[in-house]
Amino acid sequence: MNTSHDRGDSDLLRPLRDIDASDGPPPRYDVALAMRHGDGIRHRRMSIGAVAAIVMVAAAIGIPLGLPSPQQAGPAPSPSATVPTSSPSPSPAPVPDITSAAELPVANCTVTTLTAPAAAGAFSTWGSASVDPTGHYLVAALVKPFTLPTSEYLPGKPLLVDLRTGRKTLIPVDEGGVAGVNASGVVIGTSGIGTSGPKTIAWEFRNGKVTLLPKFHGVAPEPYGINARGDIIGQVGSGNNATSVIWPADRPGTVRALLPTGMLAYTITDSGMVGGSFDDKPYVGDGNGNGHALPTGASDPRGQVYQIRGDFGVGWGLSNVTVGIVPMVWNLATNARTQYAKVGLWAIASDGTVLGDTTPDGDVAGARIGLIGRGGVLKRLPTGVAGSPPVYVYDITADGTTIVGVRHTSPAAGSPVSQVGAVWHC
Amino acid sequence: MHLQDRTDYVEFVSSRLPGLRRLAYVLCGDWHHADDIIQASLTKAYLRWSSVRASRDVDQYMRAIVVNTFLSERRLAWSRVRLGELPPDAAAPDDASVEDRTVLRQALARLPKRQRAVLILRFVDDLGVTEVADMMRCSAGTVKSQTAHGLASLRRHLDDLAYPMPGRQT
């Protein structure tokens, strides 16, 4: 009699080889849901990691730096796709993708660069930048020059820059990231995010002093945004267990959950309006349970708003896995929404001017270009130097005249990547 | 993550999902549980997409995420995502191979999770010792010992369950 001992090791498990994914019930996983959860987790951590991540991707496919020189004129920009709408509604007509940087006219902006202070030591490379709505203060995460490939999340040293005086202040916290700054120069950020996973400590830097933000039920939320009066929003947990919270300025030392329960907030305006998503829909509210979903379309029934300035919100609509993400601007006053070409949109000004960047498929891989636009029409930001090194943009002021980001220096192949801060004046 | 990277992510994982779902199922033995593992793995892969793309073997990196999600899910409760109502199970085919699989599954379920994963990666996915060691973040020696112990235990459990081996001569 043979026993299982008589079978070869491989034969023993052979019946399992014939299993096919289609043998089971219809799958329940959802790629779009995974992306939404991932966005919630990383939304503000990207302030210290996105640049490294994107650069790493570029390097992995063998990218030299450089694009054709910026052109002062180009073919007609992408058409506007604004439609007045109420939820649910047909989606705006698809906007043609940008396949070449040369398609876009160059915006009439000048660019200046910023370097890290000597006191930052090895943290000499700009990992990200953010600006307060008035353009008075800039904050950045300084990181060490990184060799590719590297960890996605690079711990950084937070830096506050007074753009009026040029004064640079290193914020005395452990390595981490910065999430934002308001017009009074109050900076929020986190420490303790490393490659081994998040061990978040949330802090604010006010009048030269770092203060830890109160924990929520014993757990430190990750701060996401701050408004002019000092209300700070953040998030604790992830996925379906995520909770958005607020540290209200009028009740120092307290923290509470935002309502409705399940809302994920990513932005807070000076009036206290919070924006994000609720029940997978883009949503704005007062944080006390009063609010409404923003319009969605039949083909992009989900979405989220990431930043609100004035009457405008920027974010994306989310459809199924085959269509994916639709860059979107909502006019909160008219209920209209404007679809953009397939680029990354990151911030918005009070007049609806959007800020984004993209890597046009038809260009040299890794040639990231900054974008500024309105009404569905995009222009490219100049790089200010020959060779058009990649730029990554992060934030724009409320009046749309100042943009902050980072620009590559041009390291020798194989040497660590270095970036300088960049400020565009438009 | 910028939009082009998102698109690349969607295109890549969409093309790999059937294989990853199969792996998750073989590891855990339950389709609904497998979908939970895949859901959590998709989020992890999204968060690490730059690393995934930059890795020298993207498929193995993705499988490693699934395997380690399976191995660590009790330690990382946050990674479990509820996916809504359970759909009805597909009708089970009625053949001898299904019976074999059922008994094999019962025997595998009695093994420690790491031993189970080692056996499945080596003898169902046909990965070498080094590949499995890389994937499970352990030494080749550990894989070899887990393999030996796992096979011995599996055979013991199969004998206990009177494993109905096709073609067995009595």
Side-chain angles (χ1 to χ4, degrees):
Chain A
M1 167 180 155
N2 288 342
T3 70
S4 57
H5 294 269
D6 297 319
R7 287 192 162 191
D9 296 338
S10 181
D11 286 348
L12 195 62
L13 293 165
R14 181 175 297 281
L16 298 181
R17 294 181 173 215
D18 300 329
I19 291 173
D20 189 271
S22 60
D23 292 342
R28 297 179 299 131
Y29 48 70
D30 183 335
V31 176
L33 179 66
M35 296 171 75
R36 185 174 70 80
H37 289 167
D39 285 332
I41 294 168
R42 75 185 306 167
H43 178 64
R44 282 303 175 183
R45 284 185 209 159
M46 71 180 296
S47 64
I48 58 170
V51 173
I54 293 161
V55 170
M56 182 165 63
V57 171
I61 52 179
I63 296 172
L65 307 180
L67 265 178
S69 296
Q71 300 179 15
Q72 293 303 314
S78 303
S80 168
T82 301
V83 292
T85 184
S86 59
S87 181
S89 68
S91 298
V95 178
D97 288 335
I98 298 168
T99 57
S100 168
E103 292 178 48
L104 300 174
V106 177
N108 184 26
C109 307
T110 59
V111 57
T112 57
T113 58
L114 297 167
T115 56
F123 292 81
S124 60
T125 288
W126 286 58
S128 69
S130 180
V131 67
D132 86 81
T134 70
H136 187 169
Y137 292 103
L138 177 155
V139 286
L142 301 175
V143 299
K144 297 175 183 175
F146 44 91
T147 302
L148 303 170
T150 185
S151 164
E152 185 169 349
Y153 298 125
L154 296 176
K157 290 282 190 187
L159 173 71
L160 173 65
V161 181
D162 185 328
L163 290 176
R164 295 179 185 168
T165 66
R167 178 185 168 88
K168 297 174 182 174
T169 305
L170 282 169
I171 298 173
V173 297
D174 290 339
E175 295 174 24
V178 287
V181 60
N182 70 7
S184 301
V186 179
V187 184
I188 55 172
T190 54
S191 292
I193 295 177
T195 55
S196 60
K199 295 177 180 177
T200 304
I201 298 170
W203 50 260
E204 69 170 9
F205 179 70
R206 182 191 297 265
N207 298 325
K209 181 183 175 186
V210 174
T211 305
L212 299 187
L213 295 170
K215 293 182 177 180
F216 180 75
H217 295 311
V219 180
E222 189 170 351
Y224 280 0
I226 182 170
N227 64 10
R229 69 186 181 206
D231 297 318
I232 301 167
I233 60 163
Q235 191 177 112
V236 60
S238 61
N240 286 344
N241 297 319
T243 299
S244 284
V245 301
I246 184 169
W247 291 274
D250 59 359
R251 299 186 65 189
T254 67
V255 60
R256 68 170 175 83
L258 287 169
L259 298 174
T261 300
M263 178 202 181
L264 297 179
Y266 299 111
T267 184
I268 183 166
T269 68
D270 290 347
S271 67
M273 176 192 290
V274 291
S277 66
F278 176 60
D279 195 24
D280 273 347
K281 309 284 187 189
Y283 179 88
V284 295
D286 63 3
N288 295 312
N290 305 304
H292 63 275
L294 297 177
T296 55
S299 64
D300 51 329
R302 297 180 285 177
Q304 53 195 211
V305 58
Y306 267 10
Q307 190 176 57
I308 297 171
R309 291 266 173 79
D311 287 334
F312 293 91
V314 64
W316 49 63
L318 198 60
S319 59
N320 56 47
V321 296
T322 58
V323 178
I325 291 166
V326 183
M328 195 71 70
V329 167
W330 289 269
N331 184 323
L332 308 184
T334 65
N335 228 21
R337 60 202 189 106
T338 302
Q339 180 176 332
Y340 277 79
K342 201 172 175 182
V343 301
L345 297 183
W346 310 117
I348 194 162
S350 296
D351 64 355
T353 298
V354 289
L355 178 70
D357 50 25
T358 189
T359 303
D361 295 341
D363 276 317
V364 178
R368 202 82 188 180
I369 58 172
L371 301 166
I372 186 170
R374 275 187 74 182
V377 178
L378 292 166
K379 296 180 180 180
R380 60 182 297 199
L381 291 170
T383 63
V385 293
S388 299
V391 299
Y392 299 85
V393 295
Y394 288 97
D395 210 352
I396 188 170
T397 52
D399 64 5
T401 61
T402 303
I403 294 165
V404 297
V406 300
R407 188 182 75 191
H408 275 211
T409 58
S410 297
S415 64
V417 173
S418 182
Q419 298 168 152
V420 293
V423 180
W424 286 264
H425 304 279
C426 303
Chain B
M1 189 189 289
H2 286 223
L3 205 65
Q4 186 59 52
D5 298 326
R6 293 170 192 275
T7 304
D8 292 345
Y9 164 84
V10 170
E11 289 175 356
F12 176 80
V13 299
S14 297
S15 68
R16 302 307 201 275
L17 278 170
L20 296 173
R21 189 187 193 214
R22 169 185 173 275
L23 172 60
Y25 171 74
V26 176
L27 286 167
C28 73
D30 177 89
W31 287 109
H32 304 309
H33 187 181
D35 285 347
D36 289 341
I37 292 171
I38 292 299
Q39 187 68 46
S41 300
L42 285 171
T43 301
K44 290 179 183 177
Y46 181 70
L47 288 166
R48 302 175 196 167
W49 180 236
S50 55
S51 299
V52 175
R53 278 188 53 169
S55 65
R56 66 176 184 271
D57 187 334
V58 179
D59 286 305
Q60 182 159 328
Y61 198 125
M62 283 297 303
R63 286 199 297 271
I65 290 176
V66 171
V67 170
N68 287 296
T69 299
F70 164 72
L71 292 174
S72 63
E73 59 189 340
R74 288 187 179 173
R75 284 182 284 132
L76 299 173
W78 63 266
S79 67
R80 306 190 73 167
V81 179
R82 286 190 290 274
L83 293 174
E85 293 300 314
L86 300 179
D89 282 330
D94 182 20
D95 59 43
S97 66
V98 173
E99 189 177 350
D100 277 6
R101 290 181 201 165
T102 301
V103 177
L104 263 174
R105 290 242 47 86
Q106 291 173 356
L108 280 168
R110 298 180 182 183
L111 301 183
K113 291 175 85 173
R114 292 189 72 82
Q115 283 185 12
R116 200 189 319 171
V118 165
L119 295 187
I120 287 166
L121 291 171
R122 290 207 59 199
F123 302 121
V124 179
D125 268 18
D126 278 337
L127 297 181
V129 170
T130 305
E131 290 173 299
V132 175
D134 286 346
M135 190 175 286
M136 296 183 62
R137 303 168 192 161
C138 62
S139 68
T142 300
V143 172
K144 289 176 183 175
S145 65
Q146 295 268 19
T147 302
H149 290 132
L151 283 171
S153 298
L154 181 64
R155 287 182 168 123
R156 234 180 3 256
H157 295 313
L158 287 172
D159 281 347
D160 290 345
L161 293 166
Y163 183 42
M165 298 169 63
R168 170 185 278 181
Q169 297 173 2
T170 59

